Amino acid sequence: MMDKASHLKDIGLKATGPRLKILDLFEHSETRHMSAEDVYKQLLSENIDIGLATIYRVLTQFEQAGILVRHHFETGKAVYELNEGGHHDHMVCISCGKVVEFFDPEIEALQERIAEQHGFHIIDHALYMYGECPECAEAKPKRRR
């Protein structure tokens, strides 16, 4: 695989320090879905000082170039993940914000059947399910009946 600088140049972006650092962060972070603020905090924790405005600009450029995919979960802020090709759906914890990715062929087939029944041809789709992760559900006090 080509190096990051060559890849950025091939898609029409200069290989600046901030772009390379942000790309590296998405490629190596255990957190797959990050907001601009998450990126900023992570970089600061590594003593890398890149301004929030620059981070927003780079994230937008990466989204437009197809490097990142933007999601609007019900957290009220955009989060980004690397575009690694291949479709997947998301479950989002409304308490802690944890995101679980999944793919289910039965759900995909059902969506196709429903679209076909209505004469639709699906071009793209996104499924977001909101609930509570096991840790948050367990942490809640049990209700007495």
Side-chain angles (χ1 to χ4, degrees):
M1 182 170 157
M2 71 176 77
D3 70 0
K4 291 178 185 95
S6 296
H7 178 65
L8 288 176
K9 288 176 186 166
D10 286 349
I11 58 174
L13 294 172
K14 287 184 181 176
T16 64
R19 287 183 183 137
L20 291 169
K21 293 286 186 195
I22 292 169
L23 182 56
D24 189 62
L25 177 62
F26 273 94
E27 290 178 340
H28 296 102
S29 176
E30 289 186 21
T31 306
R32 288 193 38 86
H33 302 86
M34 291 186 279
S35 68
E37 291 83 5
D38 296 332
V39 171
Y40 180 71
K41 289 175 189 169
Q42 182 64 39
L43 292 172
L44 274 182
S45 76
E46 298 173 18
N47 293 317
I48 300 168
D49 188 15
I50 298 174
L52 197 51
T54 299
I55 292 169
Y56 275 107
R57 192 167 44 255
V58 170
L59 294 177
T60 299
Q61 291 166 342
F62 282 0
E63 179 194 5
Q64 291 170 344
I67 295 171
L68 297 178
V69 176
R70 179 174 47 162
H71 298 283
H72 287 284
F73 300 138
E74 294 300 311
T75 58
K77 60 184 173 183
V79 294
Y80 298 84
E81 71 175 309
L82 271 181
N83 182 359
E84 297 175 315
H87 171 76
H88 61 266
D89 296 309
H90 299 88
M91 290 184 284
V92 182
C93 179
I94 60 171
S95 296
C96 71
K98 176 181 178 179
V99 178
V100 175
E101 297 177 353
F102 70 96
F103 176 82
D104 186 304
E106 290 180 53
I107 290 174
E108 299 303 315
L110 178 60
Q111 291 172 130
E112 287 291 338
R113 278 197 311 276
I114 291 169
E116 190 176 300
Q117 290 168 0
H118 295 276
F120 268 69
H121 170 73
I122 297 175
I123 296 169
D124 192 15
H125 78 279
L127 174 62
Y128 304 124
M129 298 192 307
Y130 300 95
E132 285 186 312
C133 68
E135 294 80 14
C136 289
E138 184 65 30
K140 280 194 168 177
K142 304 287 187 232
R143 292 186 190 188
R144 296 180 71 184
R145 295 180 188 244

